[in-house]
Amino acid sequence: MLELRDLAKHYQTAGEETVRAVDGVSMSVAPGEMVALYGPSGSGKTTLLLMVAALLAPTSGKVLVGGRDISSLSEREASHFRLREMGFVRQNFDLLPGVTAIDNAVLKLLKGTPWKEAHRRVQPLLERLGLADRLNHRSETLSMGERQRVMIARALSTEPKLLLADEPTGSLDTQRGREVLELLTELCRERGVAILLVSHDPQAAGYADRVLALRDGRLSSYDPAQGFAPAEAQ
């Protein structure tokens, strides 16, 4: 489903030094597979996700989703790709204040789907995520774990085949983080969704099919007991 081919993003600093934020990354994620990507701050993880989401153009290389090179899409095509073909669970909870959980969850669907139909499609997903009794509660009254589950429901509402998750458990305690990871992996495996998850949470590795590390813009194998171990992990 997702394939990165020698993907790179380089920047020139004011002193004309080249910063290699992502430096020749090649990897793939199959339908129904979850790949967890670890790395320290500044390792290039967020830059990588932005290129996969067609929010940042690569310096070189390709991002293939379902065999199509999305790195060369027009702005309009990229917007449609993010809306219909990809889900993105971000670090920040992008929920509208004063708006109910279900209305926050249907925001992507409302761009092309009638309000009642959007509610009909999203409500079972929210119920599956344990929010049956919180559908009509305003976002500011929800716990951190509940807000994250609303974000997951929104990301999956358009039935994408690719899901990007940027630190989905970063603001949660261990128990809530475990619950979110369990629900995320169960739903995506049932639907055949490819997941690329960026995390610092050590328990995420237990839910992933493969675990890789990114450091100085390059992939390596990752052993939690030994830290980053240079290797051909691509």
Side-chain angles (χ1 to χ4, degrees):
M1 171 50 59
L2 172 65
E3 183 180 0
L4 308 184
R5 294 184 182 173
D6 203 23
L7 192 65
K9 184 63 179 180
H10 300 165
Y11 297 97
Q12 293 295 132
T13 66
E16 298 188 357
E17 178 185 355
T18 299
V19 176
R20 301 177 183 273
V22 175
D23 195 20
V25 169
S26 296
M27 63 176 291
S28 62
V29 187
E33 181 184 32
M34 174 175 159
V35 173
L37 186 62
Y38 286 83
S41 298
S43 62
K45 303 187 305 298
T46 298
T47 299
L48 182 69
L49 284 186
L50 292 177
M51 287 192 286
V52 175
L55 288 165
L56 183 66
T59 301
S60 60
K62 293 183 177 182
V63 177
L64 302 176
V65 177
R68 181 175 57 152
D69 184 4
I70 62 97
S71 54
S72 60
L73 296 180
S74 68
E75 187 174 334
R76 182 176 181 179
E77 290 170 334
S79 178
H80 185 271
F81 163 72
R82 289 189 293 271
L83 180 64
R84 295 298 175 190
E85 301 177 48
M86 184 201 78
F88 202 162
V89 181
R90 298 175 181 266
Q91 291 187 51
N92 59 316
F93 299 144
D94 187 22
L95 300 180
L96 298 178
V99 176
T100 64
I102 192 167
D103 283 336
N104 265 294
V106 301
L107 287 179
K108 284 185 72 176
L109 271 179
L110 289 178
K111 298 178 181 179
T113 304
W115 185 84
K116 285 186 178 180
E117 174 64 13
H119 273 237
R120 186 190 68 80
R121 289 171 59 180
V122 168
Q123 183 169 335
L125 183 55
L126 287 169
E127 291 173 351
R128 175 70 184 279
L129 287 164
L131 295 173
D133 61 347
R134 306 291 280 170
L135 299 178
N136 296 308
H137 285 68
R138 296 190 307 275
S139 60
E140 59 268 29
T141 69
L142 302 176
S143 69
M144 298 294 278
E146 289 168 341
R147 294 180 194 184
Q148 188 62 281
R149 281 177 269 176
V150 172
M151 294 297 297
I152 291 171
R154 181 194 293 175
L156 294 175
S157 65
T158 56
E159 299 184 0
K161 292 304 179 184
L162 172 64
L163 183 77
L164 306 179
D166 189 4
E167 298 286 0
T169 61
S171 300
L172 308 178
D173 60 32
T174 300
Q175 178 60 32
R176 294 304 181 192
R178 185 180 300 113
E179 292 174 0
V180 164
L181 287 167
E182 288 174 354
L183 290 165
L184 188 62
T185 53
E186 284 176 14
L187 283 165
C188 288
R189 282 168 181 159
E190 287 174 10
R191 297 174 174 219
V193 179
I195 312 173
L196 179 57
L197 182 147
V198 163
S199 183
H200 285 100
D201 185 352
Q203 67 181 341
Y207 295 89
D209 297 290
R210 287 186 290 135
V211 183
L212 300 174
L214 191 69
R215 189 164 194 170
D216 298 328
R218 290 181 172 272
L219 282 185
S220 67
S221 61
Y222 181 66
D223 182 343
Q226 299 177 7
F228 295 93
E232 293 298 326
Q234 301 176 25

